[in-house]
Amino acid sequence: MMRILLALLLLISLPVWAEEVVLGLSKDEIAISADFDGSEILIYGAVKREEAIPEEPLHVIITVAGPSQPITVRKKDRRFGIWVNTEAVEIDSAPSFYAVATSQEWPVVISEVEDLRYKISVERAIRAVGVAADDPQRFTEALTRIRTSELKYQQRDFEVNLREQTLFDTAIALPANLTEGAYKTRVFLTRNKEVISVYETEIDVRKVGLERWLYTMSRQQPLLYGLMSLAIAIAAGWGASAAFNLLRRG
């Protein structure tokens, strides 16, 4: 009985935030066509409450993650005047695209423990448990650096506009070289560096038109796709040669 009473007292003493996310997206589908050069998603929403706004400030974190897949990261060194691969590490899983936007600077909005629990930051989103290397962090950092330079990984503080502790919005830029699939979108509400509410949805990214037809052929009929690619290459080479000879004669 004493243990039950202590547990009840502990639960009563813990803060309970009756706050939920109501989310909206400017688009929940993205079509990749032949002339696709990137897109931008506007993510907006509000915090639904059953009680008055608490005194402790609210913070918002928004993440968008593309399909995850294993990837090999190689290290190159200069040997005998040429660059060669000297080490290779297989990372278990890494998102093809990952963006994190926050309403305040990162150390203010969430603790390391909560980040580890929910895997929110770019570093936590990369899974490299079984990496066989002396210093696996070098390879995950190299992957993060490369994909950040390609705008595939983004971690941006102060990019979520939060108004009156209730309304929020942000814009996530998507590069042109997107991987097809479901892009998981999460919204975290935090107080005192702890997650108090989580909302999840998805953005569907698909190839359409000629891009879709070629992609499907390459997967379902690889021999025909290879022969067609070879024929196009031969035709393009012959056409370029004929045009050059015509210009030279003129």
Side-chain angles (χ1 to χ4, degrees):
M1 181 63 70
M2 184 60 69
R3 290 181 179 176
I4 294 175
L5 289 174
L6 289 173
L8 289 173
L9 288 172
L10 180 60
L11 288 173
I12 293 172
S13 64
L14 288 173
V16 178
W17 313 111
E19 296 171 294
E20 297 179 356
V21 173
V22 180
L23 190 69
L25 300 171
S26 60
K27 58 180 78 173
D28 56 10
E29 293 183 357
I30 296 177
I32 302 178
S33 58
D35 57 349
F36 180 76
D37 59 353
S39 183
E40 186 176 73
I41 297 290
L42 176 62
I43 302 173
Y44 55 92
V47 180
K48 186 175 82 171
R49 297 184 176 91
E50 298 178 357
E51 300 176 358
I53 300 176
E55 294 183 0
E56 291 82 359
L58 179 75
H59 302 297
V60 181
I61 306 173
I62 298 176
T63 69
V64 178
S68 293
Q69 50 198 212
I71 185 171
T72 302
V73 180
R74 294 179 172 84
K75 178 186 176 183
K76 290 187 176 183
D77 284 326
R78 195 173 182 84
R79 302 287 175 82
F80 306 107
I82 59 174
W83 290 96
V84 296
N85 295 324
T86 56
E87 291 183 70
V89 164
E90 183 77 18
I91 293 178
D92 303 314
S93 179
S96 56
F97 173 85
Y98 197 77
V100 185
T102 65
S103 57
Q104 287 289 328
E105 61 181 340
W106 184 256
V108 173
V109 299
I110 195 166
S111 66
E112 287 291 331
V113 174
E114 292 288 85
D115 183 24
L116 180 61
R117 178 182 301 169
Y118 292 95
K119 296 178 174 56
I120 303 175
S121 63
V122 174
E123 291 76 13
R124 299 298 185 190
I126 300 173
R127 186 172 178 271
V129 178
V131 172
D134 296 333
D135 187 9
Q137 187 175 357
R138 287 184 305 148
F139 292 88
T140 57
E141 289 176 350
L143 175 63
T144 301
R145 184 175 63 254
I146 293 170
R147 291 195 167 178
T148 299
S149 66
E150 298 172 345
L151 299 180
K152 290 183 177 181
Y153 285 176
Q154 308 169 22
Q155 185 146 353
R156 302 176 298 161
D157 296 347
F158 300 101
E159 289 294 326
V160 177
N161 302 311
L162 179 61
R163 302 174 184 85
E164 302 297 329
Q165 299 285 293
T166 302
L167 303 176
F168 62 86
D169 66 85
T170 191
I172 302 295
L174 302 175
N177 51 347
L178 289 178
T179 299
E180 189 179 32
Y183 281 60
K184 184 178 179 180
T185 302
R186 298 184 294 172
V187 179
F188 299 88
L189 302 182
T190 68
R191 266 201 178 89
N192 297 325
K193 299 185 180 183
E194 295 183 355
V195 175
I196 61 173
S197 183
V198 182
Y199 182 92
E200 296 185 5
T201 187
E202 289 184 350
I203 301 170
D204 190 40
V205 177
R206 298 292 173 190
K207 293 181 174 69
V208 296
L210 179 61
E211 289 284 317
R212 183 68 195 173
W213 182 72
L214 291 174
Y215 177 82
T216 302
M217 178 182 289
S218 67
R219 295 297 185 274
Q220 297 180 357
Q221 298 177 305
L223 178 59
L224 180 60
Y225 177 80
L227 292 174
M228 187 182 70
S229 300
L230 181 61
I232 292 174
I234 293 174
W238 178 85
S241 177
F244 177 77
N245 289 333
L246 183 62
L247 289 174
R248 188 174 59 179
R249 290 174 183 175

